[in-house]
mmCIF file of all heavy atoms in Angstrom:
data_model
loop_
_atom_site.group_PDB
_atom_site.id
_atom_site.type_symbol
_atom_site.label_atom_id
_atom_site.label_comp_id
_atom_site.label_asym_id
_atom_site.label_seq_id
_atom_site.Cartn_x
_atom_site.Cartn_y
_atom_site.Cartn_z
ATOM 1 N N TYR A 168 28.801 4.214 10.782
ATOM 2 C CA TYR A 168 29.351 3.372 11.894
ATOM 3 C C TYR A 168 28.559 2.054 11.966
ATOM 4 O O TYR A 168 27.375 1.975 11.681
ATOM 5 C CB TYR A 168 29.191 4.121 13.203
ATOM 6 C CG TYR A 168 30.028 5.379 13.255
ATOM 7 C CD1 TYR A 168 29.459 6.580 12.789
ATOM 8 C CD2 TYR A 168 31.298 5.365 13.761
ATOM 9 C CE1 TYR A 168 30.202 7.730 12.807
ATOM 10 C CE2 TYR A 168 32.058 6.554 13.774
ATOM 11 C CZ TYR A 168 31.505 7.733 13.315
ATOM 12 O OH TYR A 168 32.228 8.910 13.325
ATOM 13 N N GLN A 169 29.325 1.029 12.385
ATOM 14 C CA GLN A 169 28.734 -0.325 12.589
ATOM 15 C C GLN A 169 28.010 -0.392 13.906
ATOM 16 O O GLN A 169 28.526 0.036 14.909
ATOM 17 C CB GLN A 169 29.802 -1.390 12.504
ATOM 18 C CG GLN A 169 29.312 -2.789 12.347
ATOM 19 C CD GLN A 169 30.458 -3.770 12.112
ATOM 20 O OE1 GLN A 169 31.480 -3.702 12.771
ATOM 21 N NE2 GLN A 169 30.245 -4.686 11.144
ATOM 22 N N HIS A 170 26.829 -0.999 13.868
ATOM 23 C CA HIS A 170 25.980 -1.090 15.078
ATOM 24 C C HIS A 170 25.530 -2.505 15.296
ATOM 25 O O HIS A 170 25.569 -3.348 14.414
ATOM 26 C CB HIS A 170 24.730 -0.250 14.946
ATOM 27 C CG HIS A 170 24.985 1.292 14.851
ATOM 28 N ND1 HIS A 170 25.626 1.827 13.766
ATOM 29 C CD2 HIS A 170 24.731 2.272 15.708
ATOM 30 C CE1 HIS A 170 25.699 3.128 13.972
ATOM 31 N NE2 HIS A 170 25.189 3.395 15.121
ATOM 32 N N TYR A 171 25.090 -2.780 16.522
ATOM 33 C CA TYR A 171 24.659 -4.116 16.943
ATOM 34 C C TYR A 171 23.335 -4.010 17.661
ATOM 35 O O TYR A 171 23.178 -3.238 18.621
ATOM 36 C CB TYR A 171 25.669 -4.793 17.847
ATOM 37 C CG TYR A 171 27.065 -4.881 17.181
ATOM 38 C CD1 TYR A 171 27.979 -3.854 17.348
ATOM 39 C CD2 TYR A 171 27.397 -5.932 16.374
ATOM 40 C CE1 TYR A 171 29.221 -3.877 16.783
ATOM 41 C CE2 TYR A 171 28.697 -5.960 15.750
ATOM 42 C CZ TYR A 171 29.576 -4.962 15.964
ATOM 43 O OH TYR A 171 30.781 -5.006 15.388
ATOM 44 N N PRO A 172 22.332 -4.803 17.208
ATOM 45 C CA PRO A 172 21.114 -4.892 18.020
ATOM 46 C C PRO A 172 21.372 -5.659 19.317
ATOM 47 O O PRO A 172 22.193 -6.584 19.352
ATOM 48 C CB PRO A 172 20.152 -5.661 17.091
ATOM 49 C CG PRO A 172 21.008 -6.401 16.202
ATOM 50 C CD PRO A 172 22.307 -5.670 16.009
ATOM 51 N N LEU A 173 20.663 -5.286 20.376
ATOM 52 C CA LEU A 173 20.920 -5.886 21.709
ATOM 53 C C LEU A 173 19.932 -6.897 22.100
ATOM 54 O O LEU A 173 20.111 -7.643 23.127
ATOM 55 C CB LEU A 173 20.962 -4.720 22.743
ATOM 56 C CG LEU A 173 22.024 -3.678 22.535
ATOM 57 C CD1 LEU A 173 21.999 -2.641 23.658
ATOM 58 C CD2 LEU A 173 23.397 -4.343 22.439
ATOM 59 N N ASP A 174 18.802 -7.042 21.411
ATOM 60 C CA ASP A 174 17.774 -8.032 21.774
ATOM 61 C C ASP A 174 17.145 -8.647 20.537
ATOM 62 O O ASP A 174 16.537 -7.925 19.764
ATOM 63 C CB ASP A 174 16.713 -7.321 22.592
ATOM 64 C CG ASP A 174 15.582 -8.234 23.044
ATOM 65 O OD1 ASP A 174 15.614 -9.411 22.695
ATOM 66 O OD2 ASP A 174 14.647 -7.796 23.785
ATOM 67 N N ASN A 175 17.470 -9.905 20.297
ATOM 68 C CA ASN A 175 16.987 -10.512 19.068
ATOM 69 C C ASN A 175 15.513 -10.785 19.053
ATOM 70 O O ASN A 175 14.991 -11.186 17.988
ATOM 71 C CB ASN A 175 17.778 -11.851 18.846
ATOM 72 C CG ASN A 175 17.599 -12.861 19.959
ATOM 73 O OD1 ASN A 175 16.680 -12.704 20.794
ATOM 74 N ND2 ASN A 175 18.435 -13.911 19.960
ATOM 75 N N GLU A 177 13.465 -8.108 19.929
ATOM 76 C CA GLU A 177 12.894 -6.764 19.828
ATOM 77 C C GLU A 177 12.255 -6.563 18.464
ATOM 78 O O GLU A 177 12.830 -6.826 17.411
ATOM 79 C CB GLU A 177 13.984 -5.766 20.077
ATOM 80 C CG GLU A 177 13.608 -4.320 19.709
ATOM 81 C CD GLU A 177 12.357 -3.843 20.420
ATOM 82 O OE1 GLU A 177 12.122 -4.127 21.560
ATOM 83 O OE2 GLU A 177 11.547 -3.119 19.717
ATOM 84 N N LEU A 179 11.401 -3.679 16.951
ATOM 85 C CA LEU A 179 11.930 -2.587 16.122
ATOM 86 C C LEU A 179 13.061 -2.997 15.295
ATOM 87 O O LEU A 179 13.285 -2.482 14.150
ATOM 88 C CB LEU A 179 12.362 -1.419 17.004
ATOM 89 C CG LEU A 179 11.318 -0.332 17.307
ATOM 90 C CD1 LEU A 179 11.986 0.759 18.156
ATOM 91 C CD2 LEU A 179 10.707 0.235 16.107
ATOM 92 N N THR A 180 13.847 -4.000 15.733
ATOM 93 C CA THR A 180 14.996 -4.441 14.963
ATOM 94 C C THR A 180 14.777 -5.818 14.407
ATOM 95 O O THR A 180 15.754 -6.500 13.981
ATOM 96 C CB THR A 180 16.300 -4.462 15.846
ATOM 97 O OG1 THR A 180 16.045 -5.193 17.037
ATOM 98 C CG2 THR A 180 16.698 -3.026 16.234
ATOM 99 N N ARG A 181 13.539 -6.251 14.306
ATOM 100 C CA ARG A 181 13.261 -7.595 13.749
ATOM 101 C C ARG A 181 13.681 -7.600 12.230
ATOM 102 O O ARG A 181 13.434 -6.728 11.478
ATOM 103 C CB ARG A 181 11.758 -7.887 13.804
ATOM 104 C CG ARG A 181 11.331 -9.173 13.267
ATOM 105 C CD ARG A 181 9.867 -9.555 13.696
ATOM 106 N NE ARG A 181 9.820 -9.803 15.092
ATOM 107 C CZ ARG A 181 8.688 -9.985 15.754
ATOM 108 N NH1 ARG A 181 7.543 -10.010 15.138
ATOM 109 N NH2 ARG A 181 8.705 -10.284 17.080
ATOM 110 N N PHE A 183 16.851 -7.443 11.371
ATOM 111 C CA PHE A 183 18.152 -6.811 11.230
ATOM 112 C C PHE A 183 19.204 -7.924 11.207
ATOM 113 O O PHE A 183 19.113 -8.946 11.881
ATOM 114 C CB PHE A 183 18.426 -5.890 12.430
ATOM 115 C CG PHE A 183 17.858 -4.544 12.221
ATOM 116 C CD1 PHE A 183 16.592 -4.306 11.588
ATOM 117 C CD2 PHE A 183 18.519 -3.376 12.649
ATOM 118 C CE1 PHE A 183 16.035 -3.108 11.432
ATOM 119 C CE2 PHE A 183 17.933 -2.121 12.534
ATOM 120 C CZ PHE A 183 16.729 -1.971 11.876
ATOM 121 N N ASP A 184 20.307 -7.635 10.554
ATOM 122 C CA ASP A 184 21.561 -8.490 10.666
ATOM 123 C C ASP A 184 22.142 -8.338 11.987
ATOM 124 O O ASP A 184 21.845 -7.388 12.728
ATOM 125 C CB ASP A 184 22.525 -8.128 9.528
ATOM 126 C CG ASP A 184 21.966 -8.485 8.133
ATOM 127 O OD1 ASP A 184 21.259 -9.508 8.015
ATOM 128 O OD2 ASP A 184 22.215 -7.665 7.194
ATOM 129 N N GLU A 185 23.173 -9.189 12.291
ATOM 130 C CA GLU A 185 23.895 -9.123 13.564
ATOM 131 C C GLU A 185 24.670 -7.800 13.690
ATOM 132 O O GLU A 185 24.932 -7.357 14.812
ATOM 133 C CB GLU A 185 24.862 -10.307 13.690
ATOM 134 C CG GLU A 185 24.139 -11.604 14.034
ATOM 135 C CD GLU A 185 23.481 -12.252 12.764
ATOM 136 O OE1 GLU A 185 23.649 -11.730 11.705
ATOM 137 O OE2 GLU A 185 22.796 -13.319 12.961
ATOM 138 N N SER A 186 25.040 -7.197 12.560
ATOM 139 C CA SER A 186 25.615 -5.830 12.559
ATOM 140 C C SER A 186 25.012 -5.076 11.384
ATOM 141 O O SER A 186 24.668 -5.695 10.380
ATOM 142 C CB SER A 186 27.106 -5.921 12.500
ATOM 143 O OG SER A 186 27.534 -6.446 11.275
ATOM 144 N N PHE A 187 24.909 -3.813 11.533
ATOM 145 C CA PHE A 187 24.345 -2.930 10.466
ATOM 146 C C PHE A 187 24.928 -1.564 10.568
ATOM 147 O O PHE A 187 25.379 -1.107 11.644
ATOM 148 C CB PHE A 187 22.812 -2.884 10.579
ATOM 149 C CG PHE A 187 22.295 -2.331 11.873
ATOM 150 C CD1 PHE A 187 21.884 -1.002 11.905
ATOM 151 C CD2 PHE A 187 22.155 -3.135 12.991
ATOM 152 C CE1 PHE A 187 21.391 -0.511 13.116
ATOM 153 C CE2 PHE A 187 21.708 -2.618 14.195
ATOM 154 C CZ PHE A 187 21.300 -1.272 14.258
ATOM 155 N N ASN A 188 24.864 -0.842 9.452
ATOM 156 C CA ASN A 188 25.460 0.493 9.442
ATOM 157 C C ASN A 188 24.392 1.593 9.550
ATOM 158 O O ASN A 188 23.265 1.425 9.099
ATOM 159 C CB ASN A 188 26.183 0.715 8.097
ATOM 160 C CG ASN A 188 27.454 -0.096 8.022
ATOM 161 O OD1 ASN A 188 28.051 -0.479 9.000
ATOM 162 N ND2 ASN A 188 27.982 -0.347 6.802
ATOM 163 N N VAL A 189 24.825 2.719 10.117
ATOM 164 C CA VAL A 189 24.002 3.882 10.289
ATOM 165 C C VAL A 189 24.915 5.131 10.184
ATOM 166 O O VAL A 189 25.949 5.164 10.772
ATOM 167 C CB VAL A 189 23.269 3.938 11.643
ATOM 168 C CG1 VAL A 189 22.361 5.178 11.705
ATOM 169 C CG2 VAL A 189 22.425 2.730 11.861
ATOM 170 N N HIS A 191 25.976 8.936 11.153
ATOM 171 C CA HIS A 191 25.803 9.870 12.238
ATOM 172 C C HIS A 191 26.418 11.172 11.866
ATOM 173 O O HIS A 191 27.354 11.279 11.120
ATOM 174 C CB HIS A 191 26.478 9.325 13.533
ATOM 175 C CG HIS A 191 25.793 8.215 14.181
ATOM 176 N ND1 HIS A 191 24.949 8.418 15.250
ATOM 177 C CD2 HIS A 191 25.788 6.916 13.923
ATOM 178 C CE1 HIS A 191 24.484 7.197 15.649
ATOM 179 N NE2 HIS A 191 24.965 6.284 14.849
ATOM 180 N N ARG A 193 26.690 14.536 14.322
ATOM 181 C CA ARG A 193 26.227 15.241 15.524
ATOM 182 C C ARG A 193 27.442 15.493 16.458
ATOM 183 O O ARG A 193 28.430 14.862 16.355
ATOM 184 C CB ARG A 193 25.183 14.413 16.246
ATOM 185 C CG ARG A 193 25.623 13.006 16.662
ATOM 186 C CD ARG A 193 24.510 12.171 17.253
ATOM 187 N NE ARG A 193 24.823 10.759 17.332
ATOM 188 C CZ ARG A 193 25.449 10.123 18.261
ATOM 189 N NH1 ARG A 193 25.988 10.795 19.269
ATOM 190 N NH2 ARG A 193 25.694 8.814 18.195
ATOM 191 N N ILE A 197 24.695 10.973 24.792
ATOM 192 C CA ILE A 197 24.280 10.608 26.176
ATOM 193 C C ILE A 197 24.901 9.257 26.488
ATOM 194 O O ILE A 197 24.809 8.341 25.640
ATOM 195 C CB ILE A 197 22.741 10.620 26.225
ATOM 196 C CG1 ILE A 197 22.125 11.961 25.991
ATOM 197 C CG2 ILE A 197 22.312 10.077 27.619
ATOM 198 C CD1 ILE A 197 20.632 11.971 25.933
ATOM 199 N N ASN A 198 25.488 9.147 27.620
ATOM 200 C CA ASN A 198 26.093 7.908 28.011
ATOM 201 C C ASN A 198 25.059 6.828 28.148
ATOM 202 O O ASN A 198 23.976 7.020 28.612
ATOM 203 C CB ASN A 198 26.905 8.073 29.303
ATOM 204 C CG ASN A 198 28.127 8.967 29.086
ATOM 205 O OD1 ASN A 198 28.866 8.893 28.080
ATOM 206 N ND2 ASN A 198 28.405 9.785 30.073
ATOM 207 N N GLN A 199 25.542 5.528 27.857
ATOM 208 C CA GLN A 199 24.652 4.365 27.954
ATOM 209 C C GLN A 199 24.149 4.265 29.425
ATOM 210 O O GLN A 199 22.986 3.888 29.670
ATOM 211 C CB GLN A 199 25.346 3.145 27.571
ATOM 212 C CG GLN A 199 24.451 1.899 27.610
ATOM 213 C CD GLN A 199 25.076 0.678 27.027
ATOM 214 O OE1 GLN A 199 26.166 0.747 26.456
ATOM 215 N NE2 GLN A 199 24.412 -0.463 27.117
ATOM 216 N N TYR A 202 21.116 6.339 30.039
ATOM 217 C CA TYR A 202 19.884 5.703 29.524
ATOM 218 C C TYR A 202 19.409 4.612 30.469
ATOM 219 O O TYR A 202 18.229 4.487 30.762
ATOM 220 C CB TYR A 202 20.155 5.057 28.114
ATOM 221 C CG TYR A 202 20.309 6.070 27.004
ATOM 222 C CD1 TYR A 202 21.550 6.296 26.380
ATOM 223 C CD2 TYR A 202 19.217 6.744 26.494
ATOM 224 C CE1 TYR A 202 21.696 7.139 25.364
ATOM 225 C CE2 TYR A 202 19.399 7.648 25.398
ATOM 226 C CZ TYR A 202 20.578 7.807 24.810
ATOM 227 O OH TYR A 202 20.760 8.676 23.795
ATOM 228 N N GLN A 203 20.371 3.808 30.890
ATOM 229 C CA GLN A 203 20.022 2.634 31.740
ATOM 230 C C GLN A 203 19.507 3.060 33.101
ATOM 231 O O GLN A 203 18.891 2.190 33.800
ATOM 232 C CB GLN A 203 21.194 1.699 31.797
ATOM 233 C CG GLN A 203 21.513 1.062 30.499
ATOM 234 C CD GLN A 203 22.773 0.236 30.511
ATOM 235 O OE1 GLN A 203 23.710 0.470 31.332
ATOM 236 N NE2 GLN A 203 22.904 -0.769 29.680
ATOM 237 N N LEU A 208 13.015 3.134 29.891
ATOM 238 C CA LEU A 208 13.695 3.144 28.586
ATOM 239 C C LEU A 208 14.457 1.777 28.395
ATOM 240 O O LEU A 208 15.021 1.231 29.328
ATOM 241 C CB LEU A 208 14.716 4.279 28.458
ATOM 242 C CG LEU A 208 14.108 5.692 28.519
ATOM 243 C CD1 LEU A 208 15.188 6.725 28.463
ATOM 244 C CD2 LEU A 208 13.056 5.899 27.429
ATOM 245 N N ASN A 209 14.481 1.318 27.174
ATOM 246 C CA ASN A 209 15.239 0.218 26.711
ATOM 247 C C ASN A 209 16.257 0.644 25.645
ATOM 248 O O ASN A 209 15.836 1.250 24.668
ATOM 249 C CB ASN A 209 14.413 -0.933 26.166
ATOM 250 C CG ASN A 209 13.684 -1.681 27.211
ATOM 251 O OD1 ASN A 209 14.184 -1.845 28.311
ATOM 252 N ND2 ASN A 209 12.486 -2.212 26.906
ATOM 253 N N VAL A 210 17.532 0.320 25.854
ATOM 254 C CA VAL A 210 18.540 0.582 24.804
ATOM 255 C C VAL A 210 18.464 -0.640 23.832
ATOM 256 O O VAL A 210 18.696 -1.765 24.304
ATOM 257 C CB VAL A 210 19.944 0.738 25.368
ATOM 258 C CG1 VAL A 210 20.978 0.861 24.200
ATOM 259 C CG2 VAL A 210 19.988 1.965 26.253
ATOM 260 N N LEU A 211 18.243 -0.380 22.531
ATOM 261 C CA LEU A 211 17.964 -1.482 21.601
ATOM 262 C C LEU A 211 19.114 -1.707 20.571
ATOM 263 O O LEU A 211 19.207 -2.795 20.055
ATOM 264 C CB LEU A 211 16.666 -1.187 20.863
ATOM 265 C CG LEU A 211 15.424 -0.928 21.687
ATOM 266 C CD1 LEU A 211 14.243 -0.642 20.867
ATOM 267 C CD2 LEU A 211 15.168 -2.143 22.607
ATOM 268 N N ALA A 212 19.944 -0.706 20.391
ATOM 269 C CA ALA A 212 21.043 -0.887 19.440
ATOM 270 C C ALA A 212 22.088 0.158 19.749
ATOM 271 O O ALA A 212 21.811 1.289 20.153
ATOM 272 C CB ALA A 212 20.586 -0.796 17.985
ATOM 273 N N GLN A 213 23.340 -0.199 19.519
ATOM 274 C CA GLN A 213 24.444 0.698 19.836
ATOM 275 C C GLN A 213 25.675 0.352 18.956
ATOM 276 O O GLN A 213 25.727 -0.650 18.301
ATOM 277 C CB GLN A 213 24.858 0.584 21.305
ATOM 278 C CG GLN A 213 25.384 -0.811 21.706
ATOM 279 C CD GLN A 213 25.707 -0.846 23.243
ATOM 280 O OE1 GLN A 213 25.451 0.102 23.972
ATOM 281 N NE2 GLN A 213 26.221 -1.957 23.653
ATOM 282 N N SER A 214 26.651 1.301 19.004
ATOM 283 C CA SER A 214 27.870 1.169 18.241
ATOM 284 C C SER A 214 29.020 1.298 19.179
ATOM 285 O O SER A 214 29.023 2.196 20.053
ATOM 286 C CB SER A 214 27.914 2.221 17.082
ATOM 287 O OG SER A 214 29.223 2.372 16.646
ATOM 288 N N PRO A 215 30.112 0.514 19.007
ATOM 289 C CA PRO A 215 31.284 0.707 19.853
ATOM 290 C C PRO A 215 31.909 2.105 19.660
ATOM 291 O O PRO A 215 32.511 2.632 20.601
ATOM 292 C CB PRO A 215 32.228 -0.395 19.373
ATOM 293 C CG PRO A 215 31.382 -1.413 18.684
ATOM 294 C CD PRO A 215 30.230 -0.619 18.127
ATOM 295 N N ASP A 216 31.749 2.654 18.509
ATOM 296 C CA ASP A 216 32.398 4.020 18.190
ATOM 297 C C ASP A 216 31.390 5.139 18.276
ATOM 298 O O ASP A 216 31.797 6.263 18.727
ATOM 299 C CB ASP A 216 33.006 3.935 16.788
ATOM 300 C CG ASP A 216 34.067 2.938 16.709
ATOM 301 O OD1 ASP A 216 34.951 2.864 17.556
ATOM 302 O OD2 ASP A 216 34.024 2.118 15.696
ATOM 303 N N ALA A 217 30.187 4.956 17.889
ATOM 304 C CA ALA A 217 29.165 6.065 17.917
ATOM 305 C C ALA A 217 28.255 6.068 19.125
ATOM 306 O O ALA A 217 27.529 6.982 19.340
ATOM 307 C CB ALA A 217 28.338 5.971 16.633
ATOM 308 N N GLY A 218 28.332 5.025 19.927
ATOM 309 C CA GLY A 218 27.498 4.975 21.142
ATOM 310 C C GLY A 218 26.136 4.466 20.910
ATOM 311 O O GLY A 218 25.827 3.829 19.941
ATOM 312 N N VAL A 219 25.235 4.818 21.834
ATOM 313 C CA VAL A 219 23.795 4.410 21.719
ATOM 314 C C VAL A 219 23.137 5.003 20.488
ATOM 315 O O VAL A 219 23.260 6.191 20.269
ATOM 316 C CB VAL A 219 23.083 4.762 23.050
ATOM 317 C CG1 VAL A 219 21.609 4.468 22.881
ATOM 318 C CG2 VAL A 219 23.672 4.000 24.171
ATOM 319 N N TYR A 220 22.422 4.142 19.748
ATOM 320 C CA TYR A 220 21.786 4.592 18.533
ATOM 321 C C TYR A 220 20.210 4.558 18.662
ATOM 322 O O TYR A 220 19.563 5.515 18.303
ATOM 323 C CB TYR A 220 22.216 3.759 17.392
ATOM 324 C CG TYR A 220 21.317 3.791 16.182
ATOM 325 C CD1 TYR A 220 21.002 5.002 15.515
ATOM 326 C CD2 TYR A 220 20.693 2.605 15.698
ATOM 327 C CE1 TYR A 220 20.165 4.991 14.438
ATOM 328 C CE2 TYR A 220 19.840 2.649 14.583
ATOM 329 C CZ TYR A 220 19.607 3.823 13.956
ATOM 330 O OH TYR A 220 18.700 3.859 12.870
ATOM 331 N N LEU A 221 19.698 3.495 19.174
ATOM 332 C CA LEU A 221 18.242 3.259 19.181
ATOM 333 C C LEU A 221 17.788 2.977 20.622
ATOM 334 O O LEU A 221 18.255 2.066 21.235
ATOM 335 C CB LEU A 221 17.941 2.116 18.249
ATOM 336 C CG LEU A 221 16.453 1.692 18.168
ATOM 337 C CD1 LEU A 221 15.557 2.829 17.574
ATOM 338 C CD2 LEU A 221 16.315 0.466 17.259
ATOM 339 N N VAL A 222 16.821 3.764 21.020
ATOM 340 C CA VAL A 222 16.251 3.641 22.406
ATOM 341 C C VAL A 222 14.719 3.762 22.242
ATOM 342 O O VAL A 222 14.212 4.508 21.399
ATOM 343 C CB VAL A 222 16.739 4.753 23.305
ATOM 344 C CG1 VAL A 222 16.159 4.637 24.733
ATOM 345 C CG2 VAL A 222 18.274 4.669 23.415
ATOM 346 N N ALA A 223 14.013 2.973 23.026
ATOM 347 C CA ALA A 223 12.515 3.074 23.016
ATOM 348 C C ALA A 223 11.984 2.972 24.425
ATOM 349 O O ALA A 223 12.567 2.274 25.338
ATOM 350 C CB ALA A 223 11.932 1.912 22.127
ATOM 351 N N VAL A 230 10.219 6.574 20.559
ATOM 352 C CA VAL A 230 11.398 5.965 19.936
ATOM 353 C C VAL A 230 12.415 7.002 19.676
ATOM 354 O O VAL A 230 12.097 8.064 19.109
ATOM 355 C CB VAL A 230 11.009 5.294 18.573
ATOM 356 C CG1 VAL A 230 12.268 4.720 17.933
ATOM 357 C CG2 VAL A 230 10.046 4.129 18.861
ATOM 358 N N TYR A 231 13.663 6.786 20.070
ATOM 359 C CA TYR A 231 14.712 7.832 19.951
ATOM 360 C C TYR A 231 15.810 7.234 19.052
ATOM 361 O O TYR A 231 16.370 6.225 19.302
ATOM 362 C CB TYR A 231 15.283 8.103 21.371
ATOM 363 C CG TYR A 231 14.291 8.621 22.310
ATOM 364 C CD1 TYR A 231 13.604 7.800 23.176
ATOM 365 C CD2 TYR A 231 14.002 9.975 22.361
ATOM 366 C CE1 TYR A 231 12.644 8.286 24.104
ATOM 367 C CE2 TYR A 231 13.037 10.510 23.217
ATOM 368 C CZ TYR A 231 12.359 9.678 24.123
ATOM 369 O OH TYR A 231 11.440 10.175 25.003
ATOM 370 N N LEU A 232 16.141 8.050 18.008
ATOM 371 C CA LEU A 232 17.240 7.736 17.075
ATOM 372 C C LEU A 232 18.280 8.843 17.198
ATOM 373 O O LEU A 232 18.006 10.007 17.056
ATOM 374 C CB LEU A 232 16.762 7.719 15.661
ATOM 375 C CG LEU A 232 15.621 6.742 15.262
ATOM 376 C CD1 LEU A 232 15.232 6.984 13.793
ATOM 377 C CD2 LEU A 232 16.087 5.320 15.502
ATOM 378 N N THR A 233 19.542 8.379 17.449
ATOM 379 C CA THR A 233 20.613 9.370 17.443
ATOM 380 C C THR A 233 21.325 9.518 16.117
ATOM 381 O O THR A 233 22.128 10.408 15.901
ATOM 382 C CB THR A 233 21.666 9.024 18.576
ATOM 383 O OG1 THR A 233 22.299 7.800 18.225
ATOM 384 C CG2 THR A 233 20.971 8.890 19.903
ATOM 385 N N GLY A 234 21.062 8.602 15.187
ATOM 386 C CA GLY A 234 21.680 8.643 13.853
ATOM 387 C C GLY A 234 20.682 9.030 12.787
ATOM 388 O O GLY A 234 19.549 9.452 13.060
ATOM 389 N N HIS A 284 18.506 -1.270 6.084
ATOM 390 C CA HIS A 284 18.138 -1.325 7.538
ATOM 391 C C HIS A 284 17.367 -0.108 7.959
ATOM 392 O O HIS A 284 16.507 -0.168 8.869
ATOM 393 C CB HIS A 284 19.433 -1.484 8.350
ATOM 394 C CG HIS A 284 19.922 -2.880 8.367
ATOM 395 N ND1 HIS A 284 20.738 -3.369 7.329
ATOM 396 C CD2 HIS A 284 19.808 -3.868 9.215
ATOM 397 C CE1 HIS A 284 21.072 -4.575 7.602
ATOM 398 N NE2 HIS A 284 20.499 -4.970 8.777
ATOM 399 N N LEU A 288 13.733 -0.393 9.625
ATOM 400 C CA LEU A 288 13.413 0.194 10.930
ATOM 401 C C LEU A 288 12.094 0.940 10.918
ATOM 402 O O LEU A 288 11.267 0.844 11.816
ATOM 403 C CB LEU A 288 14.543 1.116 11.406
ATOM 404 C CG LEU A 288 14.304 1.966 12.642
ATOM 405 C CD1 LEU A 288 14.131 1.082 13.916
ATOM 406 C CD2 LEU A 288 15.414 2.989 12.930
ATOM 407 N N TYR A 296 4.809 -0.630 16.458
ATOM 408 C CA TYR A 296 4.712 0.432 17.469
ATOM 409 C C TYR A 296 3.531 1.371 17.108
ATOM 410 O O TYR A 296 3.199 2.195 17.948
ATOM 411 C CB TYR A 296 6.003 1.268 17.504
ATOM 412 C CG TYR A 296 7.037 0.647 18.434
ATOM 413 C CD1 TYR A 296 7.419 -0.696 18.348
ATOM 414 C CD2 TYR A 296 7.677 1.427 19.384
ATOM 415 C CE1 TYR A 296 8.411 -1.222 19.110
ATOM 416 C CE2 TYR A 296 8.643 0.851 20.210
ATOM 417 C CZ TYR A 296 9.041 -0.481 20.076
ATOM 418 O OH TYR A 296 9.982 -0.986 20.873
#
Side-chain angles (χ1 to χ4, degrees):
Y168 298 87
Q169 192 173 44
H170 296 69
Y171 303 91
L173 300 181
D174 182 355
N175 58 14
E177 167 54 41
L179 270 182
T180 54
R181 180 166 292 175
F183 277 37
D184 293 324
E185 286 78 5
S186 67
F187 60 97
N188 288 338
V189 181
H191 287 263
R193 55 184 166 86
I197 296 174
N198 290 321
Q199 182 173 355
Y202 288 109
Q203 293 173 334
L208 298 177
N209 283 330
V210 176
L211 304 179
Q213 62 184 4
S214 162
D216 299 311
V219 172
Y220 160 60
L221 177 63
V222 177
V230 175
Y231 300 94
L232 302 177
T233 65
H284 281 83
L288 173 64
Y296 277 49

